Amino acid sequence: MFKNYLTSAFRSLKRHKLFTLLNIFGLATGIACSILIFLWVKDERSYDKFNSRAPQVYRLTINVTGVHAAVTSLPIGEAIKRQVPAIKNFARLVSLHSIVTVDNKKFDEHSIFYADQAFLQIFNYPLSQGDGHTALTRPDAIVITEATALKYFGTENPMGKVVHIDDDIKGNNYTVTGVMRNIPRNSHLQFDALLPLIAYEKSSNYSYNNPSEWGNFEVYTYLQLDANNTTPAAIQAAEKQIGAIQAANDPTHTRADFTLQPLTDIHLHSNLLLDVDGNGNIASVNIFSLVAIFILLIACINFMNLSTALAGQRAKEVGLRKTLGAVRFQLIIQFMCESFLVTFVSMLLGLAIARVLLPLFNDLSGKTIAVNLFDASVLLPLVGIALAVGLISGSYPALFLSSFKPVKVLKGLRIFGGQKTYLRNGLVVFQFAIAIILMVSTLVVNKQLSFIQKRDIGYNKENLLYLQMPQSGDLQSNYQALKAALSRNPAITNYTLIEHLPTYLTTGTTDVKWAGKDTRQQTVFPHIGADGNFLKTFGIHLLAGRGFNDNYGTDASNYVLNETAAKMMGFTAETAIGKNIAMNGHPGQVIGVVKDFNFKPVQQTIEPLVLRYTKQGGFVVIRTSPANMQAIISQLKTTFQDVYPHFPFSYGFVDQDLSHLYIAEQRMGKLFNIFSIVSIIVSCLGLFGLATFATQKRLKEISVRRVLGASAGGIVTMLTKDFVKPVAVALIIAFPVATWAMNKWLESYVYRISISWWMFAVAGSAAVMIAFLTISYQSVKAALANPVDSLRSE
């Protein structure tokens, strides 16, 4: 019996080739998109779940006067372990950007952490060589990944080899005591090497008993809780205990609230200041999950519309089957077999399309996703999708086609005469509403991305090239030689030495004092060390006072504030000049106030900033002429290597770094563009099905009108008018939904665009135009058909 159903289904699909191809293409496209999005969502939700202790591991975060940051003070980890019984173990991380010397080779490393020795016990980062329990106990130890070992030592055994960390405050030699397997790509922590935290404590003169350490937030603190203390009540109690410990030890009396953030929540639920790079966004995951569902539903709706469009051609088949004894249940099974056959073929084709497009999708999304069909977590959902699509797509056509009365069909009566089209029109409305929402969303995302890239951030970011400077050795005398060489280059208009680039500042302290300060109101003050050329090189506007001067020795103890810092201290730009403040125990005077400028992504508001004078820094930033940039870089490389022959030449551009901060938005915009186009294409197939169905239903009416003298243009206008109505209704539904959804998305940006009327006009016009073009084919075909062919049987 089943074989007969399958044979009949195959013959029927073969007989109606066009509709079969449209069905398969539409479903395959929807399934391919859904598979790609499903794999992306699965990857995003898998972060850190490989860690067997993940349910017990939490990261400690801090909230200081509304500023929620991912870092804490260095001593709090030790205090928690001693005083909070629920804490089983702890590990702290301090990031390091360093030049690593191996033999005579130099490597610019951005991904190094100082770590407690317990780090390798808390996290599942297995070692291929060495012992994880002892690898970080020596102060001169270093643990590297297999990829790093290959880069440094080739095929040689790296164990016992010595590497030199040039920028390790004092510059030290470290011996390789362990080799880790490469860090999984779905770990929120990505690093190439680990150094013992005791080395950092020693080089920075850290003391647990020094009260000032409690006000400096620069450490990522991870806690392993006892398995019996992971309930919400136990976690809340631990958070209160940690807050009490901070309050009892911090001499600045900073009001700080602590949160224990689950390890598996960090990647998607961590929009925090000073966080590690590469985190995702749960909002994007939810949005694309809905997009996948909607595209799949659009494809299913196409199947329904195209199948019911065939009803006129299959009515006599149904009538004959019923006359010969077929019952409705058997016909339903027959049509469901056709549905599942189309779905099965579409699933295979969709999977093939997804496999072909996966490399391109990985490039667009920044992933390295691979498809393993034998993985149950992939195979079972695919089977579930196929069954669901087959059931959803085939149920309505099966019920509809099997309901025909054989008497009406075989007598040639109109089977569509009283048939309501509300459901079919409603399905097309739903299709186009989703497509229009995606189109509006695409316009908003692209406009917001353009806005944040072109927005005035308070300084001139163009033509700013920076070079990384060595942190050890006789920096001062070498820098003077570099300055002299830079001054002789006519392509260089200015340059400055700074400690940190103002593209994403990660420094901060609460230890800032001024007269009249309310000790109950504490905040984190980011700070930048810079020389006298900083304001001029960056083109930052001075509101009052002056900037630093390299010839004034007293500026070593002076400060420059941004206008937000001045307002927080209760001053205007003018009244702040001459006021005494102290930062980290170093008193000085305010000599200038600058206009606010962005030193963090525009998702975050501008915070109070303190500029302090320094003659040493990690970067020299150079303003160059825009012409012949490659020649300028070549000249700079020669100049730099003459001054620092044993230090690698490493450069970058400030505007490119700023653009990199919005890479997630750029990827989201590209994906929205693609899925918007796909949804429109697939929706057009549904509209094509509706046009075909409606044209069949009115074929004799059209023929009569033609015989009575109606023009082809008049017929096309009549048909098109009815078809455009569902699109118009879709516009009415889609615009409010898109407005609400995009306003919610824009709330994550402090500086954002307003949704404009032209976005809806463009999306609406595009939808109507595309719908008109889709409809025109069937309308023109029906209007130009010979009326004799339709009226011959009357």
Side-chain angles (χ1 to χ4, degrees), residues 241-254:
Q241 288 178 282
I242 294 169
I245 292 171
Q246 174 75 24
N249 290 277
D250 186 0
T252 64
H253 305 291
T254 301

Side-chain angles (χ1 to χ4, degrees), residues 513-730:
K513 298 180 175 65
W514 62 91
K517 178 183 179 181
D518 185 352
T519 57
R520 295 171 298 176
Q521 297 295 324
Q522 295 287 343
T523 190
V524 176
F525 283 82
H527 51 88
I528 299 177
D531 67 7
N533 285 334
F534 175 68
L535 301 185
K536 186 176 181 181
T537 302
F538 276 84
I540 296 172
H541 181 58
L542 191 66
L543 296 178
R546 64 176 179 84
F548 298 123
N549 191 312
D550 292 330
N551 298 320
Y552 294 176
T554 55
D555 275 357
S557 59
N558 290 335
Y559 298 100
V560 174
L561 309 177
N562 70 348
E563 53 185 316
T564 297
K567 290 176 183 177
M568 178 167 289
M569 295 177 183
F571 310 133
T572 64
E574 291 74 18
T575 60
I577 306 302
K579 293 296 189 294
N580 294 316
I581 69 171
M583 186 174 72
N584 293 330
H586 300 290
Q589 277 192 346
V590 177
I591 61 171
V593 176
V594 298
K595 186 177 180 180
D596 281 344
F597 61 92
N598 282 100
F599 49 86
K600 290 183 180 177
V602 295
Q603 291 95 324
Q604 302 165 12
T605 188
I606 294 178
E607 299 174 88
L609 176 72
V610 178
L611 300 175
R612 49 189 175 75
Y613 184 78
T614 183
K615 288 187 177 182
Q616 293 188 345
F619 303 91
V620 58
V621 181
I622 303 166
R623 182 167 295 282
T624 66
S625 62
N628 300 320
M629 185 59 70
Q630 289 302 319
I632 294 172
I633 293 173
S634 179
Q635 294 170 13
L636 287 174
K637 182 176 182 180
T638 301
T639 300
F640 188 87
Q641 291 182 335
D642 287 343
V643 178
Y644 302 103
H646 302 297
F647 194 84
F649 177 75
S650 176
Y651 71 93
F653 293 92
V654 170
D655 57 347
Q656 291 181 0
D657 285 2
L658 287 169
S659 179
H660 183 73
L661 293 177
Y662 313 113
I663 190 69
E665 284 78 7
Q666 292 172 352
R667 289 169 178 165
M668 187 176 183
K670 290 177 181 177
L671 292 176
F672 256 115
N673 291 339
I674 293 171
F675 292 134
S676 177
I677 293 171
V678 169
S679 68
I680 285 290
I681 292 173
V682 178
S683 295
C684 287
L685 294 177
L687 195 61
F688 180 85
L690 181 62
T692 303
F693 178 85
T695 303
Q696 284 183 346
K697 188 174 69 173
R698 303 180 67 176
L699 201 56
K700 287 185 172 60
E701 175 193 345
I702 293 169
S703 299
V704 171
R705 287 178 179 270
R706 288 295 309 279
V707 170
L708 295 177
S711 66
I715 297 295
V716 171
T717 302
M718 177 190 70
L719 294 173
T720 303
K721 181 177 63 176
D722 291 337
F723 295 150
V724 171
K725 288 179 181 178
V727 180
V729 175

